[in-house]
């Protein structure tokens, strides 16, 4: 399979328990479709100048890449820098379109109405605006992320 024809599954990863559950779902999809996993997270452009803020994000991406690699699947990681925190959803959807992603996997969690109003929801934006199918996953108690 060439790079142009490989099925791309994009995991929107923020380190949350729900996003960690997305690792399992991404691996399941990639195995079923003989695909490649793109693990993507977002950070503020302002944070780019502060290694202590960026390094944990890079480490999280590398951890996921290791887990995916341990499952003998191809993986690519990307750290997207955006101007404003409200732009995370837009950055993720735009990246998915640019990379011609077949499926997006995003962690979801219950939030209060006030929480949704004040903080918005990246997952909700992605689900509503992405041009490809989006799979929302919830955290499962006692889940193991070392899928094999």
């Amino acid at each position: 399979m060439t790079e142009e024809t490989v099925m791309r599954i994009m995991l929107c990863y923020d380190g949350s328990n729900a996003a960690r559950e997305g690792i399992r779902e991404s691996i399941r999809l990639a195995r079923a479709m003989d695909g490649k996993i793109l693990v993507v997270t977002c950070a503020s452009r302002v944070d780019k100048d502060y290694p202590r803020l960026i390094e944990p994000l890079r480490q999280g991406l590398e951890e996921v890449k290791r887990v995916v690699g341990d499952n003998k699947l191809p993986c690519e990681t990307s750290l997207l820098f955006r101007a404003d925190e409200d732009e995370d959803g837009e950055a993720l959807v735009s990246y998915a379109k640019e990379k011609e992603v077949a499926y997006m996997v995003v962690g979801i969690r219950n939030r209060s109405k006030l929480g949704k109003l004040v903080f918005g929801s990246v997952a909700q934006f992605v689900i509503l605006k992405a041009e490809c199918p989006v799979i929302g996953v919830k955290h499962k108690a006692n889940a193991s992320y070392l899928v094999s």
Side-chain angles (χ1 to χ4, degrees):
M1 210 174 249
T2 66
E3 182 64 24
E4 293 82 37
T5 61
V6 71
M7 185 77 63
R8 292 178 192 85
I9 295 102
M10 182 172 144
L11 170 60
C12 304
Y13 188 76
D14 64 3
S16 67
N17 287 334
R20 292 180 66 80
E21 188 64 35
I23 299 168
R24 178 190 319 276
E25 184 63 21
S26 298
I27 289 170
R28 188 186 69 73
L29 282 170
R31 280 184 180 152
M33 299 177 185
D34 195 24
K36 176 180 185 175
I37 298 175
L38 309 178
V39 186
V40 183
T41 195
C42 294
S44 167
R45 282 193 200 129
V46 174
D47 293 346
K48 189 176 359 179
D49 298 326
Y50 298 94
R52 67 179 177 79
L53 298 175
I54 297 302
E55 192 54 32
L57 298 175
R58 290 192 198 285
Q59 288 174 353
L61 290 172
E62 287 306 309
E63 175 190 349
V64 177
K65 187 173 186 174
R66 182 188 53 74
V67 170
V68 172
D70 288 349
N71 283 272
K72 301 184 180 14
L73 291 165
C75 182
E76 176 182 311
T77 62
S78 294
L79 177 55
L80 306 179
F81 291 99
R82 38 72 184 147
D84 187 318
E85 193 166 306
D86 293 337
E87 296 174 357
D88 283 3
E90 292 174 39
L92 292 167
V93 168
S94 176
Y95 187 83
K97 184 176 180 179
E98 173 189 324
K99 293 292 187 174
E100 298 178 343
V101 167
Y103 291 92
M104 294 177 78
V105 177
V106 62
I108 57 175
R109 59 186 176 267
N110 289 333
R111 297 177 77 172
S112 69
K113 289 180 183 179
L114 179 60
K116 289 177 191 172
L117 179 66
V118 174
F119 299 109
S121 170
V122 173
Q124 181 177 354
F125 184 92
V126 168
I127 290 167
L128 294 174
K129 300 294 185 178
E131 294 181 10
C132 63
V134 179
I135 298 168
V137 293
K138 296 186 284 185
H139 170 65
K140 295 178 184 172
N142 302 318
S144 168
Y145 304 104
L146 301 176
V147 181
S148 55

